[in-house]
Amino acid sequence: MNLNFSYRDSFGKALVKIGEKKKEIIVVDSDVSKSTYTKYFAEKFPDRFVSVGISEQDLIGFSSGLALGGKIPIAVAFSMFLMRAWEQIRNTIARDNLNVKIVGTHSGLSDFLDGSSHQAIEDISLIRILPNFIVLSPSDIVATEKLVYEMVNHYGPVYMRIGRDNSPKIYDENEEFKIGKSKILMEGEDILIISYGPMVAISQEVANSLNKKGFSISLMDLYSIKPFDEQAVTKYAKNANHVVTIEEHNVDGGVGDMISSFLSSRIPKKVTKIGIKDSFGTSGRSYLELIEFFKLTPKFIEDKLKVISDEL
């Protein structure tokens, strides 16, 4: 598992590329440009970059005003602290269907050193329930860049969550990503694994190992969480004996709950939800140490899936 790439670096460079093409883009940051890597955009386009200070409510309010003025604001902050502004996100952006793009960096457990106060493992559940919002979670640096373009080209509210660093490299540069779609990385009949974000690389390692041992695993990268690829989920869930969701997020209200709810009224399939269970994050010396602590390593997941296969 190669996690030597950086989500925020890919994101920052993608902002500059699309900023060169779309002059109406304005990046708004909450005094963390050196951490979110919006510093790249600020250096290239200083007249189209605004820092509102450490005030996420103002970040959302100011960005909403820009959208009403015909600009394309991209509001950027740590995922966890964007949730301070959930009321403004709901009442201003979502209710009025404003063309504001929100990017939460340092999502999940990626801000390992700063501990539970900085680790966003509830953001997907809080944003996906809002009408009009698109929710995206790229699994690697290629998907991050491509989904920045998708996000900007879509008219309406978008929330994209990305990690800090520790990104894998899963896709080739010519890969395409579309809102509402997914990627099928392998096909099998025993278990369908649905994952997103950095857990896709871990799930891929698990699936490869199990397939070599005689299992038959499907793996879906659900990078578009809202709307999600209902057609693909239905098709591959029908063909599998069991469905497993793997996420770096609280399983309560996360993608596991979303998929379980969706399938419950369509296909009688058992869904096992692997993720963080009714807990906050914690501090660690490294990202991988936290993955180990929360039992999200390839070995733990593989052992759990073996048990599931034995029960089929």
Side-chain angles (χ1 to χ4, degrees):
M1 181 174 56
N2 185 352
L3 299 177
N4 294 328
F5 302 94
S6 172
Y7 285 105
R8 56 181 176 162
D9 184 68
S10 178
F11 165 64
K13 291 175 179 176
L15 281 182
V16 172
K17 288 181 181 179
I18 198 165
E20 292 173 341
K21 297 179 180 179
K22 289 185 176 289
K23 307 302 181 184
E24 61 271 38
I25 289 176
I26 296 180
V27 173
V28 189
D29 195 281
S30 56
D31 200 29
V32 284
S33 63
K34 291 182 180 179
S35 297
T36 61
Y37 283 21
T38 57
K39 62 182 182 180
Y40 297 158
F41 192 93
E43 291 165 0
K44 181 74 173 180
F45 308 109
D47 57 334
R48 290 160 53 199
F49 176 83
V50 180
S51 176
V52 298
I54 305 173
S55 179
E56 286 77 11
Q57 293 94 335
D58 290 331
L59 175 78
I60 297 304
F62 186 82
S63 297
S64 299
L66 289 172
L68 288 168
K71 301 299 183 181
I72 303 177
I74 302 178
V76 187
F78 284 22
S79 295
M80 182 62 250
F81 300 114
L82 278 166
M83 299 306 105
R84 287 173 175 165
W86 190 86
E87 178 193 342
Q88 286 76 21
I89 293 171
R90 176 194 184 272
N91 281 335
T92 305
I93 296 177
R95 286 202 310 134
D96 292 332
N97 197 26
L98 298 183
N99 191 31
V100 179
K101 319 305 174 186
I102 303 175
V103 178
T105 67
H106 296 63
S107 67
L109 301 170
S110 65
D111 195 359
F112 53 90
L113 280 175
D114 290 321
S116 62
S117 64
H118 285 58
Q119 293 161 6
I121 54 177
E122 310 87 5
D123 54 318
I124 288 174
S125 60
L126 288 168
I127 300 298
R128 75 177 179 87
I129 62 172
L130 295 176
N132 297 319
F133 255 93
I134 302 294
V135 179
L136 306 172
S137 181
S139 57
D140 80 342
I141 55 172
V142 174
T144 298
E145 178 178 346
K146 297 295 181 70
L147 287 174
V148 167
Y149 284 84
E150 282 292 297
M151 172 182 73
V152 170
N153 289 328
H154 169 83
Y155 186 90
V158 180
Y159 173 68
M160 185 165 82
R161 63 139 37 192
I162 61 173
R164 181 179 183 267
D165 300 312
N166 298 112
S167 169
K169 179 69 159 51
I170 297 173
Y171 297 106
D172 294 329
E173 302 298 331
N174 60 354
E175 203 67 49
E176 293 186 359
F177 297 83
K178 300 294 181 183
I179 290 172
K181 295 298 182 181
S182 63
K183 292 288 184 184
I184 306 301
L185 300 179
M186 57 187 72
E187 299 187 32
E189 299 176 352
D190 293 334
I191 296 173
L192 166 62
I193 299 175
I194 299 175
S195 191
Y196 62 92
M199 297 309 296
V200 171
I202 289 175
S203 299
Q204 192 174 36
E205 185 171 329
V206 171
N208 284 330
S209 177
L210 288 174
N211 283 334
K212 289 177 182 177
K213 295 172 182 175
F215 295 87
S216 182
I217 309 295
S218 291
L219 175 58
M220 177 183 296
D221 176 1
L222 202 73
Y223 61 83
S224 179
I225 294 171
K226 182 185 179 184
F228 69 91
D229 195 341
E230 295 185 4
Q231 184 177 1
V233 168
T234 302
K235 173 185 173 181
Y236 285 92
K238 277 183 178 178
N239 294 336
N241 294 319
H242 197 104
V243 177
V244 176
T245 59
I246 303 175
E247 56 189 319
E248 186 197 31
H249 188 276
N250 198 318
V251 295
D252 296 327
V255 166
D257 269 5
M258 181 183 78
I259 295 299
S260 181
S261 176
F262 172 75
L263 291 178
S264 66
S265 61
R266 294 165 177 80
I267 308 168
K269 292 286 181 180
K270 183 177 179 181
V271 178
T272 296
K273 297 176 283 187
I274 297 176
I276 299 166
K277 299 181 180 180
D278 196 27
S279 170
F280 291 109
T282 186
S283 60
R285 290 170 293 181
S286 70
Y287 176 71
L288 293 178
E289 183 181 82
L290 290 192
I291 294 296
E292 179 80 32
F293 179 83
F294 285 103
K295 298 181 179 179
L296 294 173
T297 59
K299 183 182 184 307
F300 175 83
I301 296 172
E302 181 176 337
D303 290 344
K304 191 171 184 66
L305 266 58
K306 285 178 181 176
V307 172
I308 290 172
S309 294
D310 290 341
E311 293 173 349
L312 295 177

